Amino acid sequence: MVSEHSDDTGGDTAALALKILVAGGFGVGKTTLVGAVSEIRPLRTEELLSEAGRSVDDTGGVDQKVTTTVAMDFGRITIRSGLSLYLFGTPGQDRFWFLWDELAQGALGAVVLADTRRLEDCFPAVDYFEHRQIPFVVAVNCFAGARMYGANDVSRALDLDRGTPVVLCDARDRDSGKEVLIRLVEYAGRMHTARLLDSVG
């Protein structure tokens, strides 16, 4: 979850690096979000969609999508001096879910991207993180032409645990994506602190 780096002057701890997952359904914008906020050139493992893959993956609602992530996306963003986030975008298709357990090891929390046109596609990610008690926020990617819903409407539709944040975002916009990540870090920090206090209380 946390790694510490020493500075060049005396070995004192200089920075924290937190691992964050970016999850959600097929074509919801995970690769776009990681690419938009990353301050380094993001690592992408995208391949062209094949005719064989189209018979397996549900491309309804994302008919223009021509590539898919087959392993993960990776990026990095500095939130403030001394705090960086390592972002790991998960593949959205069912057949790649075996990778999720490896990617989730040591994660502080997760962003679950949602598309209100295909809201059911993020149920597996929500269930995954709830079951493993990994803090997460739901970020509704506001696609052009999609009907707008409020955060409370989305929370009820997904039957989220009370207090799970729901935020609206534009995965293409760096500032919007950064706000989502800040919200996640704050929420995950509160959750981990509460669990620590419960364990010693």
Side-chain angles (χ1 to χ4, degrees):
M1 174 169 56
V2 178
S3 63
E4 299 177 341
H5 304 283
S6 297
D7 61 25
D8 296 331
T9 57
D12 293 333
T13 298
L16 296 178
L18 306 176
K19 182 179 183 181
I20 302 295
L21 299 187
V22 180
F26 179 64
V28 78
K30 301 179 294 295
T31 298
T32 300
L33 177 65
V34 172
V37 301
S38 181
E39 62 199 15
I40 62 172
R41 183 177 179 180
L43 167 69
R44 292 176 173 156
T45 58
E46 288 195 305
E47 296 291 340
L48 290 172
L49 282 171
S50 65
E51 287 306 313
R54 288 182 186 277
S55 67
V56 177
D57 301 322
D58 178 11
T59 58
V62 287
D63 302 324
Q64 304 304 313
K65 187 171 175 62
V66 296
T67 61
T68 184
T69 299
V70 296
M72 67 174 186
D73 299 308
F74 175 77
R76 185 190 72 210
I77 180 174
T78 300
I79 295 296
R80 58 170 171 76
S81 178
L83 176 59
S84 296
L85 305 182
Y86 290 162
L87 308 175
F88 293 82
T90 66
Q93 303 97 310
D94 297 6
R95 66 182 185 278
F96 294 125
W97 281 352
F98 67 92
L99 296 170
W100 283 37
D101 287 339
E102 291 295 327
L103 291 174
Q105 288 292 326
L108 173 77
V111 173
V112 176
L113 272 176
D115 178 351
T116 57
R117 300 169 302 178
R118 308 165 75 212
L119 197 58
E120 66 279 2
D121 288 0
C122 70
F123 272 114
V126 168
D127 290 344
Y128 181 91
F129 296 121
E130 283 184 344
H131 181 69
R132 288 159 181 80
Q133 297 187 318
I134 297 174
F136 68 95
V137 301
V138 173
V140 179
N141 193 6
C142 298
F143 288 90
R147 182 178 173 184
M148 296 295 293
Y149 293 89
N152 289 335
D153 294 328
V154 173
S155 181
R156 285 194 296 271
L158 293 175
D159 193 26
L160 297 176
D161 290 341
R162 185 174 180 177
T164 302
V166 176
V167 295
L168 305 182
C169 75
D170 181 343
R172 303 165 298 178
D173 183 77
R174 177 180 171 83
D175 290 337
S176 180
K178 186 174 180 180
E179 285 301 313
V180 170
L181 295 171
I182 290 172
R183 184 78 177 271
L184 171 62
V185 170
E186 292 173 345
Y187 174 65
R190 292 194 301 270
M191 292 294 290
H192 285 291
T193 299
R195 290 171 186 170
L196 180 61
L197 292 175
D198 284 346
S199 69
V200 299

